[in-house]
Amino acid sequence: EIYTLSLHDALPIYQPSKVKDMSLAGEGVRKIEWVQKHMPVLEHIKKEYEETQPFKGLTIGSCLHLEPKTINLGLTLQAGGAEVAMTGCNPLSTHDDAVAGGVDLGLNIYGWREQDDEEYYQTINMVLDHKPDIIIDDGADMIMVLHNERTDVLKHIMGACEETTTGVHRLESMHKDGALKFPVVAVNDAYTKYLFDNRYGTGQSSFDAIMGTTNMVIAGKSVVICGYGWCGRGLALRAAGLGANVIVTEVDPIRALEARMDGYRVMTIRQAVKEADLIITVTGNADIINGDDFKYMKDGCMLANAGHFNVEINRPDLEAQSTSVKEVRESIEEFTLKDGKKIYLLADGRLVNLSAARGQGHPAEIMDMSFAVQALSAKFILNNDLPVGVIKAPDEIDYNVASLKLKAMGIEIDTLTDRQKEYMSNWQEGTWIPSFLDFNVLF
Ligand code: NAI
């Protein structure tokens, strides 16, 4: 049999890594080693992959926030035999030292903090030049570029994993329109991802970043959380824990009711902006604060976004109502409105927990589970002939990750007895069982 290779197929046409400063590698490696100590589930999978080499001969391309924990995911896939090429999914969230450290440890990485739009898409293309077999995306930008511009790479793709709610929504719409060309595992929709990462991760890391950036006290403040999804629930919980007067805005009546019963005040955004000292948007939707909303705000109101894209706070509308804008502190811009009021926008309205100068992202212990789901889902794509579409990660992955995490935490739980298993599966047995009919007594 004769194989004819085109020049494009035959030559490695990708470029070497492109980073800001390789002299930061030492500090980057130290940061990566620190998170490794707090990611026991991923480390367990890394060891297993080192032995079994599931990705040998394959290339995995990723578009994830470039920071120590994602670099550790890259190293896990590399340990499993993959060639790994990575870029960032947000121009403000890259940690240049961690990136240099990752390159030092053998990864191909393209990205640096404060890339402009053109550079952002250039580096996505540099990863695609590696002709990946599997994609790991966060927000679906890489998958969009693949379908819209890099159709030359499409034939290599076995499947992809998507990290976040916004990316899953985009891909579901794409599939509904018949545009999606390969299977995508919705990693976000795994229980061991959204119940912990979206809720406890976003809650803690957003307040961490907001307090570190502003040096502001939260106790006694009116904090408005826009959107009571998994992230919003976590943000409201932390705000209340810090002593804030929490207000929630929603468009879903069930979630609004849940927020009310959880003890928060619920009102429209127009009412809420009048009371707010701090507003955090986290809806995955656009224009949550826009138009005249800014005029109704109190002097000194702070605005932050924890949703994936910087479209939740309408910056052009805010600019249109301002006479001046200046950076008053790192990651804080002061907008002076026409009536002299000052409004503060954090991290350019990009997701605050990763984009603010003090943003570390979620704790490593949380990302341990999300990235364990990623690493196992990449292998799931490899081992199964999946249909085109957006697919939930199988329950076995969730139970495996949860069990490994409990074990790492030193927590043991009970298991069902045979009698309990039988009771749960027997539809004829009523919920009330007289003790004399109890099998254990009778036999
Ligand atoms: P979700 O779908 O569980 O919740 C979003 C909520 O926003 C829904 O309850 C929806 O009804 C509500 N909403 C939509 N439009 C609204 C409007 N105009 N006003 C008020 N509420 C509105 O989504 P989840 O998982 O909470 O994610 C939210 C966003 O956060 C997404 O963009 C996601 O990608 C992002 N995310 C950010 C993380 C971070 O580290 N900052 C981590 C995980 C997710």
Side-chain angles (χ1 to χ4, degrees), residues 20-29 96-98 100-101:
K20 184 155 194 174
D21 183 356
M22 275 310 288
S23 75
L24 303 172
E27 181 55 17
V29 170
D96 289 316
D97 48 8

Side-chain angles (χ1 to χ4, degrees), residues 137-274:
D137 214 347
D138 184 339
D141 276 351
M142 182 172 275
I143 296 177
M144 292 300 142
V145 172
L146 251 172
H147 282 76
N148 295 336
E149 298 155 38
R150 294 299 301 270
T151 46
D152 58 308
V153 186
L154 269 178
K155 64 174 188 280
H156 297 277
I157 309 286
M158 300 167 79
C161 300
E162 170 52 50
E163 169 79 6
T164 199
T165 318
T166 285
V168 171
H169 287 169
R170 281 177 102 184
L171 293 164
E172 277 167 347
S173 318
M174 204 174 160
H175 184 49
K176 218 162 140 196
D177 288 348
L180 187 66
K181 299 280 185 242
F182 48 73
V184 183
V185 179
V187 166
N188 179 73
D189 296 353
Y191 297 114
T192 45
K193 199 281 182 180
Y194 72 81
L195 288 179
F196 306 95
D197 172 324
N198 298 31
R199 184 165 43 169
Y200 300 114
T202 311
Q204 176 169 326
S205 62
S206 298
F207 275 101
D208 209 11
I210 291 168
M211 293 189 296
T213 303
T214 62
N215 195 21
M216 185 174 90
V217 69
I218 302 296
K221 294 270 165 58
S222 289
V223 175
V224 175
I225 309 294
C226 303
Y228 201 64
W230 289 105
C231 296
R233 289 174 175 107
L235 282 160
L237 196 65
R238 288 294 158 251
L242 287 162
N245 161 26
V246 182
I247 298 170
V248 170
T249 72
E250 248 301 341
V251 289
D252 178 331
I254 298 172
R255 290 195 164 174
L257 196 56
E258 188 188 354
R260 184 71 193 103
M261 298 253 179
D262 284 345
Y264 310 120
R265 293 163 71 209
V266 178
M267 56 183 79
T268 63
I269 187 71
R270 184 51 62 83
Q271 283 175 299
V273 294
K274 293 177 188 164

Side-chain angles (χ1 to χ4, degrees), residues 30 32-40 43 72 364-365:
R30 270 163 27 108
I32 295 163
E33 285 171 354
W34 173 254
V35 300
Q36 284 170 342
K37 291 185 212 301
H38 299 95
M39 302 179 88
E43 290 306 294
N72 195 28
E365 288 112 311

Side-chain angles (χ1 to χ4, degrees), residues 354-376:
L354 282 142
S355 300
R358 298 287 298 269
Q360 299 287 316
H362 296 359
E365 288 112 311
I366 295 278
M367 296 318 289
D368 188 24
M369 289 187 277
S370 305
F371 291 161
V373 178
Q374 284 284 11
L376 295 174

Side-chain angles (χ1 to χ4, degrees), residues 281-388:
T281 54
V282 66
T283 66
N285 204 345
D287 280 352
I288 305 307
I289 307 177
N290 68 354
D292 285 342
D293 286 337
F294 303 103
K295 286 190 198 156
Y296 292 94
M297 288 175 189
K298 292 196 294 196
D299 186 29
C301 182
M302 308 236 179
L303 308 177
N305 168 50
H308 188 79
F309 286 117
N310 60 338
V311 293
E312 304 213 12
I313 301 165
N314 189 318
R315 187 191 166 110
D317 281 5
L318 177 56
E319 278 172 359
Q321 293 179 28
S322 304
T323 52
S324 69
V325 186
K326 63 176 176 186
E327 190 175 37
V328 286
R329 195 176 149 111
E330 202 175 12
S331 301
I332 308 182
E333 286 171 286
E334 180 184 80
F335 291 75
T336 305
L337 303 196
K338 287 169 189 155
D339 63 1
K341 267 191 310 198
K342 315 272 191 206
I343 304 288
Y344 297 96
L345 178 66
L346 308 190
D348 189 28
R350 293 181 191 272
L351 77 182
V352 69
N353 54 334
L354 282 142
S355 300
R358 298 287 298 269
Q360 299 287 316
H362 296 359
E365 288 112 311
I366 295 278
M367 296 318 289
D368 188 24
M369 289 187 277
S370 305
F371 291 161
V373 178
Q374 284 284 11
L376 295 174
S377 297
K379 193 174 152 199
F380 172 67
I381 290 172
L382 195 66
N383 292 348
N384 292 277
D385 190 15
L386 300 173
V388 173

